Amino acid sequence: MDRIEIFKENYHKELELREYLQNRFSTNVTIVTLLVAALLYCIKNAGSIEYTKYFYSDFFWIFYTSLIFSVATSIYIIVILLIHLLGAPYKRIPSSQILNSYYQDLVKYYNDYPEAEGNPDSEFEKSMTEYYIEIGTYNMEVNEKRTKNMGNAHIGIIVLAVTILISLMFYVPTFLEKDANVQKFEIVDPSTPEDPAIPKEKDIKENVNDPK
């Protein structure tokens, strides 16, 4: 395999890795959005769990500690995702139009100076090799930084999910207490025979109109 083919393959591999990292970024944003929504629910309803009879006040500090860790971890993850989004941009080789214009300039140069060393094809291949080496190396460094950021974001997401889960566990007794206070209604089937001992509405009206 020619040297230029090796450098070209590495260049395209870095671009493929870029797409993979972008997909991971989008997935992480979706997960973090859901986790932050759950965190906001915990913060908004924090006062509703303090007075339930199922709650042990000795463990109340665990709830608030998990909330503090969740908030700090959320900020940490958001900062990492912003760094990833606003980080160094990728580079690409020039467009086909620019490369073709450059090649035509080489052809013109060697036609005007036939005594010059080399030829248009060899000079063009040399320039393309330099492009692939320089840009491929630069994109590799960018991908390494972004891969590290995504790894740190994943660790933060796991910590955030655990701390939020701990916080949500304290709401289970509250839900149980609410279920205990739910009023129950009995549905009477109209086809069920009436109890003769219960006075009917018609009898009550007759007794009122015809007192004895």
Side-chain angles (χ1 to χ4, degrees), residues 116-177:
E117 295 183 1
N119 58 75
D121 292 333
S122 63
E123 287 298 320
F124 183 78
E125 182 176 346
K126 178 181 177 181
S127 297
M128 290 300 300
T129 302
E130 292 176 353
Y131 273 131
Y132 284 126
I133 293 175
E134 178 184 353
I135 299 176
T137 302
Y138 173 84
N139 288 342
M140 181 184 67
E141 294 174 354
V142 173
N143 281 332
E144 287 177 351
K145 294 178 181 179
R146 296 194 173 209
T147 301
K148 183 179 179 180
N149 287 336
M150 286 299 98
N152 293 333
H154 285 168
I155 295 174
I157 289 173
I158 294 174
V159 173
L160 180 60
V162 171
T163 53
I164 290 178
L165 181 60
I166 293 174
S167 299
L168 290 175
M169 289 175 60
F170 283 85
Y171 285 91
V172 174
T174 304
F175 295 145
L176 294 177
E177 186 175 88

Side-chain angles (χ1 to χ4, degrees), residues 3-32:
R3 283 196 316 145
I4 188 172
E5 290 298 326
I6 296 175
F7 299 137
K8 181 179 179 180
E9 182 179 351
N10 292 336
Y11 166 81
H12 287 293
K13 282 183 178 180
E14 296 303 327
L15 292 181
E16 292 176 359
L17 180 56
R18 172 200 175 190
E19 297 299 325
Y20 171 74
L21 291 174
Q22 185 61 36
N23 292 334
R24 286 178 62 183
F25 173 80
S26 301
T27 302
N28 289 339
V29 169
T30 302
I31 297 174
V32 171

Side-chain angles (χ1 to χ4, degrees), residues 3-205:
R3 283 196 316 145
I4 188 172
E5 290 298 326
I6 296 175
F7 299 137
K8 181 179 179 180
E9 182 179 351
N10 292 336
Y11 166 81
H12 287 293
K13 282 183 178 180
E14 296 303 327
L15 292 181
E16 292 176 359
L17 180 56
R18 172 200 175 190
E19 297 299 325
Y20 171 74
L21 291 174
Q22 185 61 36
N23 292 334
R24 286 178 62 183
F25 173 80
S26 301
T27 302
N28 289 339
V29 169
T30 302
I31 297 174
V32 171
T33 301
L34 296 176
L35 291 176
V36 170
L39 175 60
L40 293 177
Y41 172 86
C42 293
I43 295 174
K44 181 180 179 180
N45 299 278
S48 64
I49 67 173
E50 186 173 2
Y51 305 106
T52 174
K53 65 182 180 180
Y54 297 99
F55 185 75
Y56 297 99
S57 59
D58 294 340
F59 300 102
F60 199 57
W61 64 271
I62 299 178
F63 173 75
Y64 278 115
T65 301
S66 63
L67 283 185
I68 293 173
F69 270 103
S70 298
V71 172
T73 306
S74 299
I75 296 174
Y76 171 76
I77 295 173
I78 292 174
V79 170
I80 290 179
L81 294 179
L82 287 176
I83 292 175
H84 179 92
L85 182 63
L86 303 175
Y90 290 88
K91 291 184 178 180
R92 289 180 176 272
I93 62 173
S95 65
S96 298
Q97 182 177 1
I98 294 176
L99 293 177
N100 183 62
S101 177
Y102 171 65
Y103 180 77
Q104 296 301 326
D105 290 340
L106 289 174
V107 172
K108 184 176 182 302
Y109 172 80
Y110 281 101
N111 287 335
D112 294 340
Y113 301 96
E115 70 279 1
E117 295 183 1
N119 58 75
D121 292 333
S122 63
E123 287 298 320
F124 183 78
E125 182 176 346
K126 178 181 177 181
S127 297
M128 290 300 300
T129 302
E130 292 176 353
Y131 273 131
Y132 284 126
I133 293 175
E134 178 184 353
I135 299 176
T137 302
Y138 173 84
N139 288 342
M140 181 184 67
E141 294 174 354
V142 173
N143 281 332
E144 287 177 351
K145 294 178 181 179
R146 296 194 173 209
T147 301
K148 183 179 179 180
N149 287 336
M150 286 299 98
N152 293 333
H154 285 168
I155 295 174
I157 289 173
I158 294 174
V159 173
L160 180 60
V162 171
T163 53
I164 290 178
L165 181 60
I166 293 174
S167 299
L168 290 175
M169 289 175 60
F170 283 85
Y171 285 91
V172 174
T174 304
F175 295 145
L176 294 177
E177 186 175 88
K178 288 182 179 180
D179 291 341
N181 294 330
V182 174
Q183 296 182 357
K184 296 182 179 181
F185 297 90
E186 181 179 359
I187 300 177
V188 180
D189 186 357
S191 62
T192 304
E194 297 182 359
D195 188 348
I198 300 176
K200 299 180 181 180
E201 182 180 357
K202 179 179 179 182
D203 296 336
I204 295 175
K205 290 181 178 180

